[in-house]
């Protein structure tokens, strides 16, 4: 069973007199910076000098290049895309990692696969929101929290756990409906990639296949898309799963719908499904996927660009453009 940290264990004073640098003022960076400042911490921002840099300045933050921010900070929150972070870490962050500084990650990826290997005399902690950046900003603003997964990888200062919990509190995770759940870099990486490599990707391709077959069966593209996802009902079902329960949300559907879902759904878990899930776990754990993705990027991402190009030009995507134009989206 996972340990849930209690708000009583969090002591914001552990960060008093410390400077927190948000490296990367993007989806997570902006939201976490604003929340941490509201919680009373001294927050600065490091970003390349572009629109996000100007946004940070206009939000009232002292804003620097990434290496200047890292040099000034005691606690460095590395909030960059995972595939970009190692290069920036080596160039701008590592030279400024003095003993007893704390490095905070929002994802386990780069530590799990050793794309980033911090020196032994700094703290390395995970504070990984299970929430998109906009939610990290909006929920605490209305008094609500969100779940975060946390874990200490290295405790050089003797205060890594306390600093990690203070960061989790500062971004809003202990507020009502939030939770600070003990995990690890490796576990966070596993569950995150597992979802992407199994049900999340499968759902997209299953819905696309459904669109193809429905339209071939004579359904108009507009009606098919609205039925499958474009009405927003899918998102509402997701909310209901989180709020009421995975199966209990079925009660929000008609009896006909519940009967249909319960009697047909499992048929789509073919003989291969479990083997594919186990293969995904193996390839995440043994680093096969991470190696493949690193190789893909080193080659200029040809497969990624081809596949993305194909889906963005697909019949579904074209029908969606038409529908969204009609809906004014
Ligand atoms: P973003 O895609 O929003 O990017 C963050 C920042 O990285 C931006 O400020 C961007 O700067 C900067 N950046 C991007 N490319 C470069 C580059 N080549 N050189 C220099 N700076 C660059 O990242 P997220 O906030 O989505 O993700 C940050 C971390 O949070 C990741 O570890 C992610 O896994 C994790 N996370 C993300 C969640 C999400 O919902 N997005 C949820 C939970 C965790 P600029 O804008 O100036 O280009």
């Amino acid at each position: 069973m996972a340990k849930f940290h209690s708000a009583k264990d969090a002591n914001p004073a552990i960060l008093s007199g410390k400077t927190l640098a948000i490296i990367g003022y993007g989806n997570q960076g902006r939201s976490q910076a604003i929340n941490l400042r509201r919680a009373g911490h001294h927050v600065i921002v490091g970003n390349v000098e572009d629109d996000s840099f100007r946004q940070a300045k206009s939000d009232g933050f002292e804003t620097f290049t990434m290496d200047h921010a890292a040099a000034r900070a005691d606690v460095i929150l590395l909030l960059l895309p995972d595939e970009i972070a190692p290069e920036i870490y080596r160039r701008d962050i590592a030279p400024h990692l003095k003993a007893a500084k704390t490095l905070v990650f929002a994802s386990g990826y780069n530590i799990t696969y050793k794309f980033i290997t911090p020196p032994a005399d700094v703290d390395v902690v995970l504070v990984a929101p299970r929430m998109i950046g906009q939610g990290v900003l909006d929920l605490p603003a209305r008094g609500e929290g969100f779940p975060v997964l946390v874990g200490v990888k290295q405790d050089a200062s003797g205060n890594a756990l306390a600093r990690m919990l203070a960061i989790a509190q500062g971004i809003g995770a202990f507020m009502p409906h939030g939770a600070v759940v003990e995990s690890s870099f490796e576990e966070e990486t596993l569950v995150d990639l597992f979802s992407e490599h199994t049900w999340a990707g499968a759902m997209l391709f299953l819905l696309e296949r459904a669109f193809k077959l429905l339209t071939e069966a004579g359904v108009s593209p507009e009606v098919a898309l609205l039925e499958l996802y474009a009405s927003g009902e899918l998102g509402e079902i997701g909310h209901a799963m989180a709020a009421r329960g995975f199966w209990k949300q079925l009660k929000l559907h008609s009896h006909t719908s519940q009967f249909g879902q319960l009697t047909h759904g499992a048929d789509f878990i073919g003989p291969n499904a479990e083997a594919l899930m186990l293969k995904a776990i193996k390839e995440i754990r043994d680093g096969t996927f991470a190696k493949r993705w690193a190789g893909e990027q080193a080659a200029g991402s040809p497969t990624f660009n081809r596949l993305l190009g194909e889906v963005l030009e697909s019949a579904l995507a074209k029908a969606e453009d038409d529908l969204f134009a009609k809906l004014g989206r």
Side-chain angles (χ1 to χ4, degrees), residues 38-305:
R38 193 189 299 123
H41 300 299
H42 179 232
V43 180
I44 64 171
V45 171
N47 205 86
V48 285
E49 293 187 42
D50 62 2
D51 286 350
S52 302
F53 185 97
R54 286 182 280 283
Q55 176 74 56
K57 276 194 137 67
S58 84
D59 287 338
F61 289 103
E62 286 180 275
T63 307
F64 305 93
T65 57
M66 297 194 200
D67 69 323
H68 275 117
R72 286 167 173 254
D74 305 292
V75 177
I76 297 168
L77 293 91
L78 211 56
L79 296 174
L80 300 161
D82 291 334
E83 70 279 13
I84 305 293
E87 188 194 330
I88 291 177
Y89 170 83
R90 272 189 292 280
R91 191 186 64 214
D92 294 333
I93 312 298
H96 304 294
L97 285 179
K98 293 209 201 84
K101 285 198 180 188
T102 300
L103 259 180
V104 186
F105 289 82
S107 128
Y109 196 86
N110 283 310
I111 293 293
T112 297
Y113 295 118
K114 300 189 170 45
F115 293 127
I116 292 178
T117 50
D121 59 355
V122 302
D123 298 340
V124 180
V125 303
L126 177 74
V127 180
R130 293 351 255 174
M131 182 54 62
I132 58 170
Q134 196 62 47
V136 170
L137 186 64
D138 293 345
L139 288 165
R142 55 173 196 257
E144 285 181 50
F146 48 84
V148 296
L149 303 184
V150 296
V152 174
K153 185 74 177 174
Q154 287 181 193
D155 180 11
S157 69
N159 285 323
L161 174 68
R163 289 181 184 179
M164 178 184 79
L165 293 180
I167 297 285
Q169 182 183 55
I171 64 172
F174 279 114
M175 295 173 94
H177 307 307
V180 177
V181 183
E182 188 66 25
S183 181
S184 67
F185 281 82
E186 293 76 15
E187 185 178 69
E188 195 277 341
T189 302
L190 174 62
V191 294
D192 196 38
L193 295 182
F194 178 79
S195 289
E196 292 157 8
H197 299 182
T198 59
W199 65 268
M203 185 180 74
L204 295 178
F205 284 92
L206 197 61
L207 289 179
E208 185 176 54
R209 194 65 60 88
F211 171 78
K212 174 176 178 287
L213 295 176
L214 280 173
T215 50
E216 283 172 5
V219 175
S220 74
E222 291 88 343
V223 169
L225 292 177
L226 286 167
E227 173 57 33
L228 293 171
Y229 68 92
S231 68
E233 188 185 17
L234 190 58
E236 293 301 321
I237 292 170
H239 280 301
M241 280 181 186
R244 291 172 171 250
F246 184 77
W247 292 118
K248 286 184 185 136
Q249 61 79 25
L250 278 178
K251 294 192 178 143
L252 299 174
H253 306 249
S254 70
H255 286 140
T256 309
S257 166
Q258 291 178 42
F259 179 71
Q261 293 186 59
L262 289 168
T263 54
H264 289 70
D267 294 347
F268 290 86
I269 303 180
N272 252 350
E274 279 195 20
L276 288 171
M277 288 193 197
L278 292 171
K279 179 165 174 271
I281 290 175
K282 180 181 172 300
E283 292 194 350
I284 295 163
R285 283 209 163 121
D286 69 14
T288 302
F289 170 76
K291 214 173 286 166
R292 195 186 312 140
W293 177 217
E296 168 72 7
Q297 290 170 84
S301 300
T303 306
F304 175 62
N305 290 331

